[in-house]
Structure formats: structure tokens, C-alpha cells
């Protein structure tokens, strides 16, 4: 037990936190030392003999690494405390994702309390694993950006998109994406039998994050049009991505581009040509499933699917953990 890495989870009773507990308990090199919850303090953490404790009672130095499944704003405070104490950080909130305090203020409406934390690498391993290896802190992506960026990455990396045409993302998420705290629009009677767009236009906070990472890969792409929807299901996220190709690429070559690019990525599955990715291809799994549909010679539909609590949050965090400590990247994930 003494050689295991001690991990504490803040927000362990939330949906992503619960999945993180379950996944980390499978890892042979992790010992869970605490899990915090303001609402469930005193209750047993499932599958353990530990009880949730209030966050103010956690002794951060008892851990070698902390996972922050907290709201934005709250995560930055704990991340700063942890790093000052020599404790590593995996942040599942937005507080380490954006590159500048100005961008954070634009999309989250708050002044970032510790702008120096914004130098943490973006925790999407399939795109950024070299920067994640051995780092002290990671800002794990949101579920919408993960699903969208993995769906776009091969075309972005080969600069195959028409820079004059928009990238259109029609995205749909299960209700757990809204968090565990009850809200009027996530009540059963509001969600059941319904499909609701929300934060349309350029209002959703993940727009800035997706654009930031797209533009790190290439500036040769058009503007992002992103519309999220609330699905009447518990979990799962689907991004239907519509793109226009430039003359360097034709739609009949896109599928082979994706299969070749992701051939060595064990947590990304490109479906056979003619198959359409569905939520069932990814829900309760740790991978992203992608299907490619040529529409015209220059237009393609990419369907990218993840479990919003797994590859969109907790399992991606564990994937980053493995890279940070030099373990096999998929350890405890497949």
C-alpha cells in the first residue's frame, strides 16, 4: 500500500466524481485517501470504507494528487493550495482550461484568481499527450470540447477544411452533463419526452474552449457554429459535425484519413464506413466512437460520441493521471 499514489477527490459525490471514484478504485497504483462532499458528508463513499468529508476538513498534504470535480471558481482555489503544497492536480472544471485570464473572464464572467495556473497543459491526450507527460497539473477538457475536437482533429491536423465555410456542430448531451445539483430545466417532467436547445448562438462557455484548441492546431478553418441540446437520457454525448473540405481533400478519402490517424489510439474507435455512431457505442465506456458520412464531394458529416462522464470527464482524467506518472496510458481504462 505504501508505494501507491495517494489520491484525494474534491466533489466526489457529484456525477463525474462518482465515476472517478469507481475508476480509480480499479487502478493498481492508486490509493484513495479522501473524497469530499458538502451535501453527503458522513455518508460512505461507494465501494470503499471511507466516508465523504466536508472539503474544509480535507488535509491536502495527505494526497500526492487531487482531482477537482468542483464548479469553476472553486477549483482554482484548491488547485493553488495543492500546487503550493507540492500536490499534483487534475482539474475537471474550467479553471485550468483556458489560456488567458481575459478568455476566462469572457466566457465565465469572473476574474481568474490565479492566472499563473493557466499554463497547465490541456488534458486531451490524443492531441496533447506529450505536454501532459510528467506535468504537475492538467486542465481536463469539457465533454463538448472533447467530443467535438476528437471528431475534427484529423481534418484540422491536415488543414483539409475550407477556411471560408463554417464548422457546424449540433451537439446533444445527457442530463448528467448539467451536474447533480437540481435545476428547474433538468427535472424529470421537463426533460422526459423533450429535446431542448440551450445557450444557442455564442452563449455556451465551451465555444471559447473549442475555438482555442482548434486554432492551436490550424488557423485554416472557418468559424464555429455550436448548438448544444439537452437529451432526455441520463448520460452520453453526441456531436454531429458538418464540415466543408478544401481542394486538398475529397469526401471519399476522409474515412481512411480517420482510420489511419486513430489506428494507434486505443480510446478512439472509428466505425466502418456506412455505420453511424450512436450513444450506445460509447455510453459506460471510456472511448470516443466516430463515424464518417460523405455527403457531397466537398461536404462530410462526422458523428462523434462519448460518455460525458467518462471520456468527457473522469476517464479522461485517469488517462491524464497515467501520463503524468508514466504508467501505461490505458491502465484501468480498458
Amino acid at each position: 500500500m505504501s508505494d501507491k499514489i495517494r489520491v484525494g477527490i474534491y466533489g466526489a459525490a457529484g456525477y463525474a466524481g462518482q465515476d472517478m471514484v469507481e475508476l480509480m478504485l480499479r487502478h493498481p497504483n492508486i490509493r484513495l485517501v479522501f473524497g469530499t462532499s458538502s451535501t453527503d458528508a458522513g455518508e460512505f463513499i461507494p465501494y470503499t470504507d471511507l466516508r465523504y468529508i466536508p472539503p474544509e476538513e480535507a488535509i491536502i498534504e495527505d494526497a500526492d494528487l487531487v482531482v477537482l470535480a468542483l464548479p469553476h471558481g472553486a477549483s482554482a482555489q484548491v488547485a493553488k493550495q495543492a500546487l503550493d503544497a507540492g500536490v499534483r492536480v487534475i482539474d475537471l472544471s474550467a479553471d485550468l482550461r483556458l489560456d488567458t485570464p481575459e478568455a476566462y473572464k469572457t466566457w465565465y464572467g469572473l476574474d481568474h484568481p490565479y492566472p499563473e495556473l493557466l499554463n497547465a497543459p490541456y488534458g486531451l491526450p490524443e492531441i496533447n499527450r506529450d505536454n501532459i507527460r510528467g506535468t504537475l497539473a492538467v486542465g481536463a477538457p469539457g465533454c463538448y470540447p472533447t467530443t467535438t475536437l476528437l471528431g475534427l482533429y484529423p481534418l484540422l491536423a491536415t488543414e483539409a477544411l475550407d477556411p471560408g465555410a463554417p464548422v457546424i456542430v449540433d451537439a446533444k448531451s445527457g442530463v448528467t452533463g448539467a451536474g447533480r445539483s437540481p435545476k428547474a430545466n433538468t427535472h424529470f417532467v421537463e426533460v422526459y419526452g423533450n429535446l431542448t436547445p440551450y445557450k444557442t448562438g455564442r452563449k455556451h462557455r465551451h465555444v471559447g474552449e473549442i475555438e482555442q484548441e482548434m486554432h492551436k492546431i490550424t488557423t485554416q478553418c472557418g468559424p464555429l457554429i455550436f448548438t448544444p441540446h439537452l437529451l432526455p437520457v441520463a448520460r452520453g454525448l453526441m456531436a454531429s459535425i458538418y464540415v466543408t473540405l478544401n481542394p486538398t481533400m475529397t469526401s471519399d478519402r476522409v474515412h481512411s484519413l480517420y482510420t489511419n490517424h486513430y489506428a494507434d489510439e486505443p480510446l478512439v474507435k472509428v466505425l466502418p464506413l456506412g455505420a453511424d455512431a450512436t450513444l450506445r457505442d460509447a455510453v459506460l465506456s471510456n472511448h470516443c466512437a466516430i463515424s464518417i458520412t460523405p455527403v457531397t464531394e466537398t461536404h462530410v458529416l462526422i458523428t462523434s460520441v462519448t460518455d460525458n462522464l467518462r471520456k468527457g470527464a473522469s476517464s479522461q482524467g485517469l488517462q491524464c493521471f497515467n501520463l503524468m506518472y508514466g504508467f501505461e496510458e490505458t491502465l484501468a481504462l480498458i
Side-chain angles (χ1 to χ4, degrees), residues 8-330:
I9 302 176
Y10 285 81
Y15 291 134
Q18 289 175 16
D19 269 31
M20 182 61 84
V21 168
E22 182 179 351
L23 289 169
M24 285 196 157
L25 290 175
R26 302 177 189 173
H27 199 292
N29 302 105
I30 289 175
R31 177 163 64 94
L32 186 65
V33 292
F34 66 77
T36 77
S37 172
S38 297
T39 56
D40 289 27
E43 299 295 325
F44 277 107
I45 300 175
Y47 317 113
T48 78
D49 58 1
L50 299 174
R51 295 179 185 268
Y52 295 110
I53 60 174
E56 61 272 15
E57 293 184 10
I59 301 173
I60 209 161
E61 292 83 0
D62 284 349
D64 301 303
L65 176 143
V66 290
V67 177
L68 309 182
L70 297 170
H72 66 270
S75 274
Q77 304 292 337
V78 182
K80 173 65 172 173
Q81 180 186 354
L83 291 168
D84 286 349
V87 176
R88 294 190 185 194
V89 171
I90 296 172
D91 183 23
L92 303 185
S93 86
D95 284 1
L96 274 64
R97 291 177 191 159
L98 296 172
D99 288 346
T100 68
E102 292 79 15
Y104 184 83
K105 178 68 176 285
T106 296
W107 293 104
Y108 288 88
L110 299 172
D111 291 317
H112 200 288
Y114 303 107
E116 66 272 20
L117 299 181
L118 297 176
N119 63 2
Y122 191 70
L124 186 47
E126 288 78 10
I127 296 176
N128 204 30
R129 61 169 51 89
D130 288 344
N131 291 323
I132 299 169
R133 287 192 177 99
T135 191
L136 300 179
V138 166
C143 50
Y144 282 124
T146 292
T147 313
T148 300
L149 291 166
L150 289 175
L152 285 169
Y153 185 52
L155 289 171
L156 294 172
T158 54
E159 297 194 330
L161 297 180
D162 180 351
V167 174
I168 300 172
V169 180
D170 184 310
K172 301 172 180 68
S173 175
V175 183
T176 52
R180 190 179 174 197
S181 298
K183 306 174 185 69
N185 67 319
T186 60
H187 286 183
F188 175 82
V189 293
E190 299 295 333
V191 174
Y192 182 73
N194 201 7
L195 176 62
T196 309
Y198 65 100
K199 295 184 180 177
T200 55
R202 291 184 60 81
K203 298 175 188 174
H204 197 282
R205 290 163 170 166
H206 287 170
V207 170
E209 182 183 336
I210 296 170
E211 288 182 332
Q212 168 185 279
E213 298 305 312
M214 287 174 64
H215 293 155
K216 287 179 184 176
I217 303 164
T218 180
T219 58
Q220 299 302 305
C221 59
L224 176 68
I225 299 175
F226 176 81
T227 304
H229 301 73
L230 190 64
L231 274 175
V233 298
R235 58 200 297 160
L237 193 152
M238 177 182 290
S240 300
I241 306 168
Y242 304 88
V243 298
T244 303
L245 306 173
N246 66 30
T248 68
M249 180 65 63
T250 54
S251 62
D252 60 326
R253 294 164 51 203
V254 172
H255 185 264
S256 61
L257 172 69
Y258 275 65
T259 55
N260 290 335
H261 183 90
Y262 285 129
D264 297 323
E265 293 291 352
L267 295 178
V268 179
K269 298 183 179 180
V270 180
L271 302 187
L273 196 61
D276 292 310
T278 72
L279 290 185
R280 288 181 180 174
D281 290 310
V283 167
L284 294 175
S285 83
N286 301 316
H287 66 262
C288 174
I290 296 173
S291 63
I292 304 295
T293 305
V295 180
T296 70
E297 185 174 342
T298 58
H299 296 90
V300 177
L301 163 64
I302 304 146
T303 305
S304 181
V305 183
T306 62
D307 185 313
N308 56 294
L309 297 180
R310 292 289 190 88
K311 184 58 176 163
S314 58
S315 68
Q316 184 138 266
L318 187 55
Q319 194 177 351
C320 290
F321 172 91
N322 285 332
L323 286 167
M324 292 167 77
Y325 282 96
F327 299 125
E328 177 66 32
E329 188 173 325
T330 58

